[in-house]
Amino acid sequence: MPATASAVPVLVVGSGPTGLTLACDLARRSVDVRIIDRSEEFPRSSRAKGPNPRSLEVLEDLGVVGRVLAEGSAPLPMRKYRDGVPVADADPSAGAHPTPDAPYAHGRLIAQWQLEEILRARLAEYGVHVELGTEAVGLSQGPESVTVALADGRSVEARYVVGCDGGHSPVRKMLGLPFEGRTAEEQVMVCGDVEVEGLDRALWHQWFDEDGAVMLCPIPGTRTGWWFQAGPERDGTGAPVPPSPESFRRLFAKHTRLPGDRLTGATLLSTYRVNERMVDRYRVGRVLLAGDAAHVHPIAGGLGMNTGIQDAFNLGWKLARVATGRASSALLDTYEEERLPVAAWTLGVSSERLRATLEAIKRPGGGLDTAITGQTTGLDRGYRWSSLSPTGTADPVDPAVGLRAGDRAPDAPCRDTATGEPVRLFEAFAGPHFTLLGFGPDAADALRRVEAEYGDTVRAYGVGAGAPRDLTDDAGHARTAYGIGPDTGALVLVRPDNHVGLLAPATGIGAVVDYLDRLVGTAGAA
């Protein structure tokens, strides 16, 4: 079916953090996007604990990190109890400090509903609003568009559809994609938002006993709100008792040794089972999947929501170029190529962290801090294997630094050479463009040529290159982060999702032009 003039370029199904991140990224690239959700009202559940350092970098690029930092809190120290008695405190973020190349030393504790509220407000600035009560029930693909049938009898035609609709994803099921893996029926937890009086809100309290557990994490921005997690009560047959306010109070009293009536207002109750599942494809024609619709895994390490946000950030710039006819649909194949291995890695790491945590809590003093490691920051995830990460052009890079095409592009504090004002590299990267960094005066010609030929698609910055848009690297942090020696010239092309696309000598303009022509063509200026 040919696309009609009224077909929306992109329809996003699902308005959780993944769908909202994608919609924001598309909207800022001037792509007409609609985002629908079958819920009748926005959820208020706290659920995910907040963005990790890499997701904070994504949220900075989208222009919302200030609100996230203001409305959330730093990760809390954890107090572990046994038989109602405090036995150990742990602060997994202690000793972590920002560095010139990584401005966020640790994640931010913020309720999921608060993060979604911030992202919706950002999306509204582009004139896009979530369409609630709009359920997708059917998909029909043609050569140029997808028709999405809605539960109320209407339909939406879109050039591309992205299912960001969670672990039970109707979009995935309509595509007929298997969700391979396992569900650990014996590993069950009951959860909910509760009101609790009399606990220190500067701590994440964790009671681990031989016959069960209760965990209470204060919800930032609330006076008495807490996120409750516990091993469920069991009935006479050993089956888990469904969550209820009464059951929560009994569990609270049993493990904390405090009066059960201190826990009130239990809402948004749910039962969580450990799932380890993922698809083997992220794309079927004009329909793609992101976030929990494509992969679910244990919550240990807090990688679930963060992996979805980073899926969306990888997909956004690619889908924008394809949906608006500025790149071949083959570019979308690199989304699966890059993110599918990350999903598999995430399943492995989160499962291993869960195993380690379950072992740790058998001993007094063990707790959820076991799940947190350097791997859970998200800062070490890259795409060196990708077809968008050409090898053999990294001559200027110090091998000791190890930076390669596909890696996360580091930050660094510099200053504007003309004005003297401080400028971070992340501020230069922020926005929908590619960024070309040229180190040293030998890179000046390449910077001017790229600016002339690729217009707003590529923004060129010199680092001591004497270019029109030039940065001074007084402390050498930029050269250190990118492995560029003090007397070495180099070109670094940074993708719109802030991963290194290409590393080349200062005179390697041919490699840069070949790379850009493959992705954006000389029509990039348009």
Side-chain angles (χ1 to χ4, degrees), residues 434-495:
F434 288 80
T435 305
L436 180 64
L437 298 176
F439 290 83
D442 290 347
D445 288 344
L447 297 172
R448 282 191 287 268
R449 178 176 170 186
V450 165
E451 283 262 310
E453 293 189 14
Y454 295 94
D456 292 338
T457 300
V458 184
R459 191 170 294 174
Y461 286 85
V463 182
R469 193 184 284 118
D470 204 64
L471 303 175
T472 299
D473 185 22
D474 287 317
H477 290 308
R479 284 184 172 273
T480 298
Y482 285 83
I484 310 298
D487 301 317
T488 304
L491 298 172
V492 181
L493 185 65
V494 179
R495 301 174 0 175

Side-chain angles (χ1 to χ4, degrees), residues 15 20 55 81 83 85 94 111 154 163 171 227 243 247 274 293 339 341 344 356 361 424 439 462 477:
S15 66
L20 289 167
S55 290
Y81 303 77
D83 299 324
V85 178
R154 296 178 298 146
V171 171
W227 176 238
S247 177
V274 172
R339 293 304 296 175
I361 64 176
R424 292 166 50 226
F439 290 83
H477 290 308

Side-chain angles (χ1 to χ4, degrees), residues 40-86:
E40 295 294 333
E41 57 187 23
F42 296 120
R44 297 285 293 182
S45 175
S46 301
R47 289 187 289 177
K49 294 297 188 300
N52 66 12
R54 179 54 181 161
S55 290
L56 287 173
E57 294 178 356
V58 171
L59 296 170
E60 178 180 349
D61 199 276
L62 294 177
V64 299
V65 77
R67 280 196 62 188
V68 172
L69 296 177
E71 296 186 23
S73 72
L76 297 176
M78 300 177 181
R79 176 158 294 171
K80 281 77 69 72
Y81 303 77
R82 186 71 111 188
D83 299 324
V85 178

Side-chain angles (χ1 to χ4, degrees), residues 119 121 498:
L119 288 168
N498 299 352

